[in-house]
Amino acid sequence: MRTQVAIVGAGPAGLLLSHLLARRGVDSVVVEARSRSYVEHRVRAGVLEHPTVELLRAEGVGARMDAHGMPHEGISLLFDDTLHHIDFADLVGRGIVVYGQQEVVKDLIAARLRDGGTIEFEAADVALHGLTTDRPSVSFTDVAGITREIECDVVAGCDGFHGPSRQAFAPTVVERAYPFGWLGVLAEAAPTHEELVYAAADRGFALYSMRSPQVTRLYLQVPADEDVAAWSDARIWDELGTRLGGMALNEGPFLEKPSITGMRSMVAEPMRHGRLFLAGDAAHIVPPTGAKGMNLAVADVAVLADALEHFFHRGSDRGLDEYSATCLRRVWRAEHFSSYMTEMLHRFDPGTERGDAFGRALQLSQLRYTVSSRAAATSLAENYTGLPHGGIA
């Protein structure tokens, strides 16, 4: 095969990049290790920032999001036994849309196949070659067991932290692991609150969220090494009720087995190696508290698509040369905001500096300031609803 851009990974980053390139007259082929069914049903993030929503609409893949997504004009912070509303619409004039990552993936796959795009699902033994030359390539074994190679001009690594793209060179990696995780459940139960609720309870953090008018998404802070088997359905609902301060909850059957997600931050610099460009989780990971993971991936490929358009149609390297630095400015802003939200809302071990009485008092002070100061609330709203793609100083 011969194409202009070989894209490794068919998550939101890889699929959206392929779609954006096609609309700019640039050919691409997407290679994905998993099956189409797997990637279309992989439940991940559900909050779309305002710039993400606007981009999907502008690029012709927002119709189903507009029909079925759930627009929100704010969030609530629950502490001191009181629900405090952060009004995004009033503070910054924009909001978010709750629409599952798997739904975005379905929309993008449908668009690429409708437009004649090539997605190679169930590709095994994916390997990258010649990345420091002007003729890199990607090899893989297809679903029929045949070894194939894609010759290209550029490789986009959109295959996550464990994929071959990030491992193809040695970027500088900085990371931070938190001593807790999120136990997440997806319940067949109608939401009882119109917006996300972030609860900073004495027993630990809880998040009340939703995926549709019929499905609720809920999380509990647990120790990083917690055994999920120790949590029965009844215990999960009881703990949610306690941490959410008696807020009314509709209980329903879980649509998937409860699972625990670790909390960590990671940034790989630079996001470029020769003709390889990293995007999304291959280059950075954020704790989910700030709802930034998928949105950062979208921001990366929005910048990369414009740079590649200039490269192929105008012969300009400038956008590609500036790609890593441009994206990393937004990445580090999102890392800071995600860390801020995580450390403000979660309980740390009482035996640690951040978990002692002094640390807890600082958390509560920050929460009270955030909900009582318009300037502090505006900063939270501005970061949560999303900063411009590529426009961070």
Side-chain angles (χ1 to χ4, degrees), residues 69-308:
M70 305 172 71
H72 289 189
E73 294 188 342
I75 60 171
S76 291
L77 302 180
L78 175 60
F79 63 95
D80 287 344
D81 298 320
T82 305
L83 204 60
H84 305 266
H85 184 234
I86 305 295
D87 191 335
F88 295 160
D90 173 60
L91 294 164
V92 294
R94 60 181 185 266
I96 59 168
V97 172
V98 173
Y99 187 63
Q101 174 177 310
Q102 73 275 18
E103 302 304 323
V104 175
V105 167
K106 291 175 186 175
D107 296 343
L108 291 168
I109 289 175
R112 293 306 301 124
L113 298 181
R114 178 200 65 207
D115 296 339
T118 301
I119 308 173
E120 296 285 347
F121 290 107
E122 299 182 69
D125 305 318
V126 178
L128 284 56
H129 313 279
L131 298 175
T132 57
T133 73
D134 60 1
R135 286 292 183 269
S137 64
V138 175
S139 63
F140 66 98
T141 303
D142 68 16
V143 68
I146 299 171
T147 299
R148 303 169 66 184
E149 186 167 10
I150 305 171
E151 296 179 350
C152 56
D153 300 291
V154 170
V155 178
C158 306
D159 49 342
F161 181 80
H162 297 290
S165 297
R166 191 185 64 84
Q167 300 174 46
F169 70 112
T172 298
V173 175
V174 290
E175 51 191 329
R176 170 178 293 175
Y178 291 92
F180 40 73
W182 278 10
L183 188 156
V185 296
L186 194 67
E188 187 176 1
T192 57
H193 197 271
E194 65 275 11
E195 294 175 345
L196 279 72
V197 177
Y198 288 76
D202 288 339
R203 292 173 62 89
F205 170 77
L207 174 61
Y208 181 92
S209 181
M210 62 289 293
R211 287 295 179 267
S212 77
Q214 297 80 36
V215 176
T216 307
R217 184 69 160 163
L218 306 126
Y219 295 97
L220 288 168
Q221 174 189 348
V222 296
D225 58 355
E226 185 78 329
D227 182 2
V228 71
W231 288 82
S232 66
D233 292 5
R235 183 186 178 192
I236 291 172
W237 285 116
D238 286 346
E239 191 66 20
L240 283 165
T242 299
R243 295 192 194 183
L244 290 168
M247 191 175 84
L249 296 176
N250 285 330
E251 297 186 14
F254 295 150
L255 299 175
E256 58 181 26
K257 293 178 63 176
S259 61
I260 296 177
T261 301
M263 302 280 283
R264 67 191 184 101
S265 302
M266 183 280 293
V267 178
E269 299 187 43
M271 292 169 59
R272 176 186 184 177
H273 174 65
R275 289 291 182 91
L276 168 65
F277 297 84
L278 301 181
D281 285 359
H284 41 73
I285 292 173
V286 291
T289 326
K292 290 287 162 268
M294 177 171 59
N295 293 292
L296 275 182
V298 169
D300 289 346
V301 299
V303 173
L304 185 55
D306 287 344
L308 289 170

Side-chain angles (χ1 to χ4, degrees), residues 303-346:
V303 173
L304 185 55
D306 287 344
L308 289 170
E309 180 184 15
H310 282 75
F311 175 70
F312 285 111
H313 294 326
R314 304 183 190 179
S316 172
D317 292 329
R318 181 177 176 181
L320 295 181
D321 291 341
E322 296 177 350
Y323 168 74
S324 182
T326 298
C327 290
L328 284 168
R329 285 193 292 271
R330 196 179 197 278
V331 166
W332 277 113
R333 175 88 295 275
E335 291 283 1
H336 181 275
F337 177 68
S338 299
S339 176
Y340 157 78
M341 291 285 283
T342 300
E343 296 188 9
M344 178 174 68
L345 292 163
H346 290 73

